[in-house]
Amino acid sequence: MLAYFLKRIVLAVPVLWGLTVIVFLIMAMIPGDPATAILGSYATPENVERLNRQLGLDRTLPEQYFIWLGNLLQGDFGRSYSLNRPVLNEVLERFNATLILAGASLLLCTVFGLLAGIVSAVRQFGWTDRIVTFFVLIGISMPSFWLGLLLILVFAVNLQWLPPSGMYAVYGGGDLADLLTHLLLPAVTLAVVATGVIARLTRASMLEVLRQDYIRTARAKGLSERRVIYRHAFKAALVGVIPVIGIQAGFVLGGAVYIETVFQWPGIGRMLVQAISTRDLLLVQGGVLVVAASYVLFNLLADMAQHALDPRLKS
Amino acid sequence: MTTATQTAAPDGRAKKGGRPGFFTLLVANRLAAFGLAVLVMLALTALLTPFLPLAPPDITNPANRLLRPLTDGHLLGTDELGRDLFSRLMWGTRVSIAVGLSATLVAAFVGSAIGLVAGYAGGRTDNVMMRGIDMLMAFPYILLALAIVAVLGPGLMNALYAIAVVNIPFFARNIRGVTLSLAHREFVDAARLSGKGHLRILLTEVLPNVLPVIVITMSTTVGWMILETAGLSFLGLGAQPPQADLGSMLGEGRKLLFTAPHVSIIPGLMIFALVMSINLVGDGIRDVLDPRLKSGALSRPAAATAVKRDNVPPMPVAPSEAALDVQDLRTEFRVGSDVYKAVSGVSFQLRERECLGLVGESGSGKSVTAMSLLGLVPTPPGRIAGGRVLYQNRDLLESSEADLRKMRGGAFAYIFQDPLSTLHPLFTVGDQVTEAIRAHQPLSYRDAWKRAVELLEMVRIPNAAERANAYPHELSGGMRQRIAIAMALANDAEILIADEPTTALDVTVQAQILKLMDALQDDKGAALLFITHDFGVVSEICDRVAVMYGGRIVETGPTDEVLNSPAHPYTRKLIDCVPVLGEPERRLDAISGLPPAVNRLPQGCAFADRCAYVEPACREGDVALEEQAQGRAVRCIKPLKAETPEAAQ
């Protein structure tokens, strides 16, 4: 088991490396000449050339890449010109907030998605199943940024139960309870689509498993229906669902861009949107790299969980 | 994927015969039809928008700003610049649909091209291309789009490209998978041999077969793409003022959420309606094009078979001496309007300590009979439609689920065919035996585990204590079947029901397992109902035998007598199927024809169509199971005599 985990971790390295290549290539596609953009269109050719040399832009693309990668590995992600501080510091600070939001959402969508899927499969064609199926359909078709606005209107504006935005109250607050009240609406909003996807898949997976011969064996042993469903069927169904939970981590991390904008959550998604509008490309690049890397790690975790659960994968 | 093979297969006849067309099926799906109706309506209005008498969408009128919906002249009110929201909504929908569709087409075109080339070329080309695709998929979906927009700069076209690019991997992967399976099929090889160029083969031979997959992928991603382009616009990275799509309307309206919520809520509702209708249609299309997901195929079996008996024989007055007395058992499967009578009136008695063989071809109803005894036939579609199963003067068909559960694995124990699929793959075998023990005995897990190891030793598993920690896939077929037997013996069952326990095993292992079962049955004093299609196995282990055909018993008697002088022509045929070692000149007759379809059982003898001795009287009325001699009965109007020469045919 340990050897396998180590192997998986080693295998994640080329993926991470690939991420840096893609990000670098995308950034290299920027139309126009960065030096001219920085110096303005009245710059003298000499000045442009000097700046190009300073920026390393007179070298070949592979050379530029490896210099850039070397800097990354030393923690030098460049300097954000709009914030006038190192990119890495800003990104890590923001990423913290995103991780709280995405983690809470991932927890919500996993718990509720699995529950809804199981209940729906067990009560197949019954009313519970229809209601779950209906909400799943609505959930996966819902623009999350719109749902967020609706929830703000209902729970923050009309009922005034929860704060409409931010991560902590401006005055006072700052404790865990304050964080949770601010977290609830955005986390739920972000979880809705993923919950629907997981519920759908769990239902299908459970139905598939419940028709297997080993379920008949479990019944023939005289096990209670609860044990048949929650021990025998669920464990087998979970093996198929876990990779999808890993994929949902990607949707949650990506969807955070909308939700953080709607709820003004000080996370990396909102930072990215602001950075794009101010054309602070180094900041965009740093943010994208960090989030993508964390997605790779999420998938790695899902893979390990699946492996721990299914002994057949060992051989 | 099956879709491609289905289109490629020359089954035009079947299609014309029963299968309704694509569109009929799609509309028959109520939800999909609803989605289609909404979608068509939205698409039509979007198409017709320029011709509708709408207010100009971009003309500002500060005097009329932020009018509420249903104001005179402004059905949905106005926005912060006094522009008519209804008109803007129509124009915005038009833009959103156009952008979403274009992104889908671009993604489908590029992604399919990559998938086709990679799947067709295979080898290194495939490897390099797919690694690249994997890299793209390592990004969280929207993040990659953001990075692309960051580079290209905000704008509707750039958002379109970004969304298209991040969707390319889905198409590439799906299409590559199907292409790979087609690339070495006969018709492709034939085209290659006939000298067609690669491009032509791809376009004329492969592409048509891949098309359904492209359509499915498009229908399941177009909703997402509309949603995501709207999302980018919402963030201010897509459509730029004064141009507006639904997303940018929503994004601009967000600033007015507290004062004029309708400005943002209405365009959001439109996105929602659009995406939901597309998803409904997409699900419908997938269901129609992907036959694996046909309705009913995935029904969940209930804990016990439904019992709805039309005719119930009276309870016997005197208690039966048999360990198990099955009377006139009827089990059916209802699929649509068809009723498959898998078991139609089976009666037999299983005496104490005896081994009764239930013999027949696949589909003769022998397994269903065995499963019916304790309600293990899946419902839906199965149900027990008649008869009684008497055990200790109680009718098991009348017992509650809780009582059934006590019987299952308690007084009755099952041993199934193919223990790889009948043992749970994710629990150790020791755990599974332990669980069987604890289901009926109040033992701690630790004590039950010890007992489980003893059971494994009893079925002669070497290193039982160690093997108990193994998972089923780590054991050989014979070992697995021993585990299954140990599980059945866990609670000293009085009645063992073995459903083809040796069929999945090779011959030497088969002999060992039979010997083991024989010995253990003697040892435990249990009665054994042994289900098999193999008369060779019957002769090894069974005291008596009942032969089933078309859901009924056609002959029964002591094993020796039935083997030596079968009375039913079908029994004779079954016996002739068994090869005998040392008699190579013996003819191995396959039984010509097929068993009858149990949803259209013929009148009279079910075997008539395949019988060499058939005469008109055979097809006239129901043939009764008539007792010939003590303990022997046959369902034939002209039973074979003991001396019937083998040359009769």
Side-chain angles (χ1 to χ4, degrees):
Chain A
M1 189 77 87
L2 194 69
Y4 172 81
F5 284 171
L6 286 176
K7 200 176 113 200
R8 281 297 318 191
I9 291 171
V10 171
L11 280 179
V13 172
V15 179
L16 290 172
W17 176 74
L19 292 182
T20 63
V21 173
I22 291 177
V23 169
F24 179 79
L25 287 179
I26 291 176
M27 293 299 153
M29 282 186 337
I30 298 174
D33 180 13
T36 316
I38 293 171
L39 297 173
S41 45
Y42 296 113
T44 61
E46 295 79 42
N47 282 346
V48 168
E49 198 185 324
R50 201 175 56 224
L51 188 64
N52 269 336
R53 204 162 337 116
Q54 272 175 13
L55 295 171
L57 292 172
D58 55 338
R59 294 162 190 265
T60 63
L61 211 56
E63 271 179 327
Q64 288 183 35
Y65 169 72
F66 282 108
I67 293 170
W68 176 78
L69 184 65
N71 290 340
L72 282 193
L73 291 176
Q74 291 166 39
D76 179 6
F77 281 58
R79 208 174 165 81
S80 154
Y81 87 82
S82 64
L83 302 169
N84 197 22
R85 67 181 295 207
V87 165
L88 190 62
N89 295 13
E90 175 73 8
V91 164
L92 290 182
E93 224 173 272
R94 296 295 201 109
F95 186 59
N96 201 22
T98 297
L99 213 53
I100 292 175
L101 175 61
S105 287
L106 210 52
L107 191 71
L108 285 175
C109 71
T110 305
V111 170
F112 287 101
L114 288 176
L115 271 180
I118 294 173
V119 169
S120 180
V122 169
R123 306 246 174 275
Q124 194 194 11
F125 303 136
W127 274 108
T128 329
D129 182 27
R130 281 182 217 180
I131 291 169
V132 169
T133 310
F134 178 72
F135 276 106
V136 163
L137 180 72
I138 288 188
I140 60 175
S141 308
M142 185 86 81
S144 59
F145 37 92
W146 181 62
L147 176 66
L149 294 182
L150 289 184
L151 293 183
I152 291 177
L153 265 187
V154 174
F155 292 101
V157 177
N158 287 340
L159 298 173
Q160 303 209 333
W161 287 351
L162 293 163
S165 63
M167 191 165 168
Y168 292 105
V170 180
Y171 303 107
D175 56 351
L176 185 66
D178 185 38
L179 174 64
L180 289 180
T181 49
H182 281 83
L183 181 60
L184 187 60
L185 281 185
V188 166
T189 313
L190 185 51
V192 162
V193 175
T195 307
V197 174
I198 292 175
R200 244 189 189 193
L201 193 88
T202 307
R203 179 180 186 270
S205 189
M206 281 292 284
L207 288 175
E208 180 72 34
V209 166
L210 280 167
R211 288 160 57 238
Q212 298 299 314
D213 287 346
Y214 51 81
I215 296 301
R216 186 185 59 188
T217 307
R219 293 208 168 110
K221 283 202 279 197
L223 300 184
S224 69
E225 192 61 11
R226 176 180 297 200
R227 211 172 159 82
V228 169
I229 286 167
Y230 291 97
R231 184 170 145 93
H232 286 240
F234 179 62
K235 187 166 184 186
L238 194 58
V239 169
V241 177
I242 284 181
V244 174
I245 296 179
I247 292 172
Q248 291 314 306
F251 280 90
V252 166
L253 283 169
V257 174
Y258 302 130
I259 304 307
E260 287 175 5
T261 304
V262 170
F263 289 93
Q264 293 173 32
W265 190 264
I268 215 163
R270 190 151 155 254
M271 180 201 84
L272 281 174
V273 176
Q274 287 163 343
I276 292 173
S277 41
T278 55
R279 308 276 295 156
D280 192 342
L281 290 174
L282 284 178
L283 199 54
V284 174
Q285 170 186 295
V288 168
L289 271 176
V290 167
V291 178
S294 69
Y295 178 44
V296 172
L297 296 181
F298 266 113
N299 272 325
L300 191 66
L301 285 180
D303 197 68
M304 287 177 173
Q306 190 189 19
H307 211 82
L309 207 64
D310 190 345
R312 286 170 300 182
L313 293 177
K314 258 178 246 156
S315 39
Chain B
M1 237 181 234
T2 28
T3 43
T5 50
Q6 196 210 2
T7 346
D11 61 352
R13 189 171 49 101
K15 258 186 198 154
K16 260 174 222 154
R19 221 176 119 91
F22 168 78
F23 197 72
T24 324
L25 279 175
L26 189 63
V27 175
N29 180 337
R30 248 186 297 168
L31 275 176
F34 171 74
L36 194 64
V38 174
L39 188 60
V40 166
M41 207 182 72
L42 291 176
L44 272 183
T45 38
L47 272 179
L48 294 177
T49 299
F51 308 108
L52 297 178
L54 293 169
D58 295 331
I59 300 298
T60 57
N61 181 0
N64 279 340
R65 61 194 297 273
L66 296 182
L67 292 181
R68 301 276 143 174
L70 301 178
T71 319
D72 255 354
H74 298 288
L75 186 61
L76 297 178
T78 57
D79 68 3
E80 77 277 18
L81 297 175
R83 296 176 292 196
D84 181 61
L85 266 181
F86 184 70
S87 166
R88 286 180 71 72
L89 187 72
M90 289 295 119
W91 285 93
T93 309
R94 202 174 140 84
V95 174
S96 279
I97 294 181
V99 172
L101 276 181
S102 314
T104 311
L105 287 175
V106 172
F109 182 79
V110 180
S112 305
I114 294 176
L116 277 169
V117 171
Y120 181 77
R124 176 171 288 178
T125 318
D126 180 32
N127 222 329
V128 169
M129 288 177 117
M130 283 302 124
R131 284 298 83 75
I133 293 294
D134 285 349
M135 286 298 163
L136 283 184
M137 289 190 100
F139 279 92
Y141 194 72
I142 276 307
L143 216 56
L144 193 58
L146 278 185
I148 295 172
V149 173
V151 168
L152 299 179
L156 195 55
M157 283 312 281
N158 294 344
L160 189 159
Y161 293 138
I163 294 299
V165 168
V166 298
N167 276 287
I168 286 174
F170 293 104
F171 286 92
R173 278 194 150 189
N174 284 359
I175 307 313
R176 175 208 171 244
V178 191
T179 310
L180 204 59
S181 69
L182 289 170
H184 296 289
R185 290 271 289 277
E186 299 80 356
F187 66 93
V188 177
D189 287 338
R192 214 171 285 150
L193 289 174
S194 74
K196 279 192 187 175
H198 289 311
L199 188 64
R200 253 188 85 195
I201 294 177
L202 267 179
L203 292 182
T204 60
E205 303 292 334
V206 180
L207 184 62
N209 286 303
V210 173
L211 218 49
V213 183
I214 300 181
V215 171
I216 290 182
T217 315
M218 282 175 76
S219 69
T220 48
T221 47
V222 64
W224 271 103
M225 292 204 224
I226 289 180
L227 197 58
E228 299 301 353
T229 37
L232 288 181
S233 289
F234 168 79
L235 296 174
L237 307 175
Q240 302 295 315
Q243 189 188 31
D245 72 347
L246 293 173
S248 65
M249 288 175 68
L250 182 48
E252 287 162 23
R254 183 169 72 91
K255 297 162 206 141
L256 308 164
L257 184 63
F258 301 126
T259 47
H262 68 278
V263 180
S264 51
I265 297 306
I266 289 169
L269 197 62
M270 183 56 111
I271 302 176
F272 174 54
L274 204 53
V275 174
M276 180 142 119
S277 62
I278 291 174
N279 282 347
L280 284 172
V281 176
D283 287 355
I285 290 179
R286 196 196 49 207
D287 287 354
V288 172
L289 288 186
D290 201 337
R292 282 171 306 174
L293 299 165
K294 242 185 270 165
S295 64
L298 276 177
S299 288
R300 161 191 131 73
T305 314
V307 179
K308 272 193 194 129
R309 290 180 291 184
D310 300 328
N311 56 337
V312 185
M315 276 302 266
V317 196
S320 171
E321 278 172 25
L324 182 71
D325 191 351
V326 177
Q327 296 185 349
D328 199 29
L329 181 69
R330 289 163 195 273
T331 305
E332 341 173 304
F333 294 93
R334 297 190 168 219
V335 181
S337 56
D338 282 341
V339 179
Y340 294 83
K341 296 187 173 173
V343 179
S344 41
V346 164
S347 305
F348 63 86
Q349 296 189 329
L350 180 65
R351 297 176 200 140
E352 275 169 31
R353 308 182 75 98
E354 90 167 330
C355 173
L356 173 66
L358 210 51
V359 192
E361 286 169 281
S362 319
S364 62
K366 53 194 194 311
S367 288
V368 178
T369 303
M371 295 305 129
S372 299
L373 302 180
L374 287 181
L376 288 173
V377 176
T379 297
R383 71 174 219 193
I384 291 170
R388 284 191 187 278
V389 176
L390 298 170
Y391 167 74
Q392 292 184 342
N393 294 311
R394 278 176 44 207
D395 185 355
L396 294 185
L397 298 183
E398 279 167 9
S399 39
S400 66
E401 257 176 49
D403 284 342
L404 268 186
R405 239 185 354 251
K406 271 182 214 142
M407 296 289 171
R408 293 173 178 175
F412 288 73
Y414 280 93
I415 302 165
F416 297 106
Q417 186 183 349
D418 187 10
L420 184 58
S421 67
T422 53
L423 291 176
H424 199 295
L426 307 182
F427 296 115
T428 62
V429 294
D431 182 76
Q432 298 188 50
V433 179
T434 305
E435 194 180 31
I437 297 170
R438 275 162 51 91
H440 297 277
Q441 297 174 41
L443 288 180
S444 71
Y445 190 88
R446 186 184 292 255
D447 290 344
W449 180 278
K450 268 188 212 150
R451 172 92 186 98
V453 173
E454 286 166 28
L455 283 166
L456 297 192
E457 278 163 1
M458 193 175 73
V459 292
R460 286 165 222 153
I461 288 181
N463 290 333
E466 199 182 305
R467 287 286 171 85
N469 288 309
Y471 289 94
H473 72 277
E474 296 168 340
L475 301 175
S476 68
M479 282 299 152
R480 285 195 289 262
Q481 195 55 281
R482 284 168 198 268
I483 304 286
I485 293 171
M487 211 150 77
L489 298 174
N491 299 302
D492 297 313
E494 289 168 48
I495 293 167
L496 294 174
I497 299 164
D499 187 2
E500 306 246 16
T502 58
T503 306
L505 306 174
D506 59 48
V507 187
T508 42
V509 183
Q510 198 170 341
Q512 292 167 10
I513 296 288
L514 280 181
K515 209 177 274 174
L516 177 73
M517 288 188 65
D518 203 18
L520 289 173
Q521 189 216 346
D522 279 353
D523 200 38
K524 300 267 172 191
L528 175 59
L529 182 63
F530 196 97
I531 291 141
T532 179
H533 63 274
D534 184 348
F535 252 107
V537 172
V538 169
S539 65
E540 300 256 338
I541 192 166
C542 297
D543 305 310
R544 284 194 308 133
V545 60
V547 181
M548 281 193 73
Y549 189 80
R552 305 174 111 182
I553 290 178
V554 293
E555 177 164 10
T556 172
T559 307
D560 291 345
E561 287 179 33
V562 173
L563 270 177
N564 290 330
S565 58
H568 198 285
Y570 175 63
T571 314
R572 144 62 50 79
K573 287 279 191 187
L574 266 188
I575 294 170
D576 286 349
C577 287
V578 181
V580 176
L581 211 58
E583 288 183 31
E585 72 279 8
R586 201 177 126 101
R587 267 179 44 202
L588 278 186
D589 278 327
I591 308 179
S592 61
L594 291 169
V598 285
N599 59 340
R600 286 188 302 271
L601 280 174
Q603 256 226 311
C605 177
F607 189 59
D609 286 345
R610 302 164 81 187
C611 183
Y613 312 104
V614 64
E615 49 186 62
C618 293
R619 304 185 197 267
E620 268 163 19
D622 208 41
V623 185
L625 185 67
E626 270 182 61
E627 186 138 0
Q628 283 190 309
Q630 181 63 29
R632 287 215 58 182
V634 63
R635 195 187 290 277
C636 183
I637 56 172
K638 222 179 71 174
L640 304 175
K641 297 287 173 294
E643 293 80 22
T644 305
E646 260 181 66
Q649 40 189 292

